[in-house]
Amino acid sequence: MGQKVNPHGFRLGTLYTWKSQWYAKGNDYQKFLLEDIKLRKFLLEKLHLAGIVRVEIKRSINTIKVILYVSRPGVVIGRGGSGLEALKKMIKDKLRVTLSDSKSVNKIDLEVKEVKNPDLAARLVALRIVDQLAKRYPHRRAVSMAMDRVMNSGAEGVKIVLAGRVAGAEISRTERYSRGSIPLQTLRADIDYSQMPSLTKSGYIGVKVWIYKKEEEIK
């Protein structure tokens, strides 16, 4: 089972909580869901240079609270908080465009939290590998360097999978690399997971990263 599902979804409710937290009635559910998807996609693209890892969205009456987990919070905040104000304005404009018939949002709260160890964030590790593959960097060296950085940061284990036209091969293949232990079926295991494509000149290469941080206690 642990081999076939997303590690975050597999532990949802026992070890992890939901990235979107709100309650909706009737047709508001699909409106809020679509709004969250588009808002999260917009923020991940907009804050790419800030090293964004995760976006949490919480809703109350006419208020949306967005929590941003980034490795470089100064890029988001800006000088004197100017970056946050500009981002709030863009979010308001985005919400009006995507759901013009939804209930008006009077207040948007932005909270920026720093990711203290970027090398233990699966999304940032995968993003680094994706950029290196797109620049035709040797894939084995890129994966080896990534695993070295993860293990030196205190991880218990790491696994990286590349699938597609690796190194410009004519026939697609899958290559798996791992160090340490990755207990995918242990619900107590705190495993960060991310997957994203690398659009190289030869074709599409999928990159998947599992990082086993430590074992948590389920309350």
Side-chain angles (χ1 to χ4, degrees):
M1 183 66 179
Q3 300 283 347
K4 302 177 180 66
V5 299
N6 189 300
H8 187 276
F10 188 51
R11 294 161 178 82
L12 199 60
T14 56
L15 190 62
Y16 305 134
T17 186
W18 284 257
K19 296 180 181 178
S20 293
Q21 300 177 27
W22 41 263
Y23 175 78
K25 293 183 179 180
N27 292 332
D28 285 341
Y29 179 84
Q30 60 185 4
K31 294 178 182 179
F32 291 167
L33 178 61
L34 178 62
E35 194 174 37
D36 281 10
I37 291 174
K38 292 187 176 182
L39 181 58
R40 186 171 281 112
K41 181 180 179 181
F42 166 74
L43 290 173
L44 290 177
E45 293 177 354
K46 184 67 178 178
L47 303 178
H48 172 77
L49 296 178
I52 187 167
V53 175
R54 189 169 75 253
V55 178
E56 292 184 0
I57 301 174
K58 300 180 180 180
R59 295 175 181 267
S60 58
I61 301 176
N62 295 334
T63 303
I64 294 181
K65 182 176 182 181
V66 182
I67 304 175
L68 307 173
Y69 293 84
V70 296
S71 60
R72 293 185 290 275
V75 178
V76 182
I77 298 173
R79 183 170 298 178
S82 59
L84 283 179
E85 295 301 322
L87 190 58
K88 283 183 181 180
K89 186 178 183 301
M90 286 187 287
I91 291 176
K92 279 190 175 182
D93 294 339
K94 190 71 176 177
L95 295 182
R96 292 194 190 102
V97 170
T98 55
L99 289 177
S100 58
D101 59 338
S102 65
K103 298 178 181 179
S104 61
V105 177
N106 297 329
K107 185 179 180 182
I108 295 179
D109 290 335
L110 284 181
E111 183 179 350
V112 180
K113 293 187 177 182
E114 182 181 5
V115 177
K116 296 182 179 180
N117 198 338
D119 290 326
L120 291 181
R123 187 177 188 278
L124 298 183
V125 174
L127 193 59
R128 190 182 301 115
I129 296 176
V130 164
D131 291 339
Q132 289 175 332
L133 293 179
K135 295 175 182 177
R136 305 184 69 176
Y137 195 80
H139 67 282
R140 287 190 178 88
R141 186 180 302 173
V143 170
S144 178
M145 290 174 57
M147 290 193 298
D148 287 342
R149 295 176 64 138
V150 171
M151 296 302 291
N152 291 337
S153 298
E156 298 288 336
V158 57
K159 182 170 77 169
I160 299 176
V161 176
L162 306 180
R165 297 189 61 183
V166 182
E170 293 185 1
I171 300 177
S172 299
R173 67 177 186 268
T174 300
E175 294 189 5
R176 297 177 175 84
Y177 307 88
S178 64
R179 289 184 188 175
S181 61
I182 303 290
L184 297 182
Q185 298 188 34
T186 304
L187 292 177
R188 299 184 304 275
D190 182 10
I191 295 181
D192 195 11
Y193 171 78
S194 181
Q195 64 180 33
M196 59 183 62
S198 178
L199 306 179
T200 66
K201 293 183 178 180
S202 301
Y204 184 107
I205 298 178
V207 179
K208 295 182 179 181
V209 177
W210 291 260
I211 296 178
Y212 173 37
K213 299 179 182 179
K214 58 182 178 179
E215 187 170 299
E216 299 283 358
E217 181 179 352
I218 299 178
K219 298 181 181 179

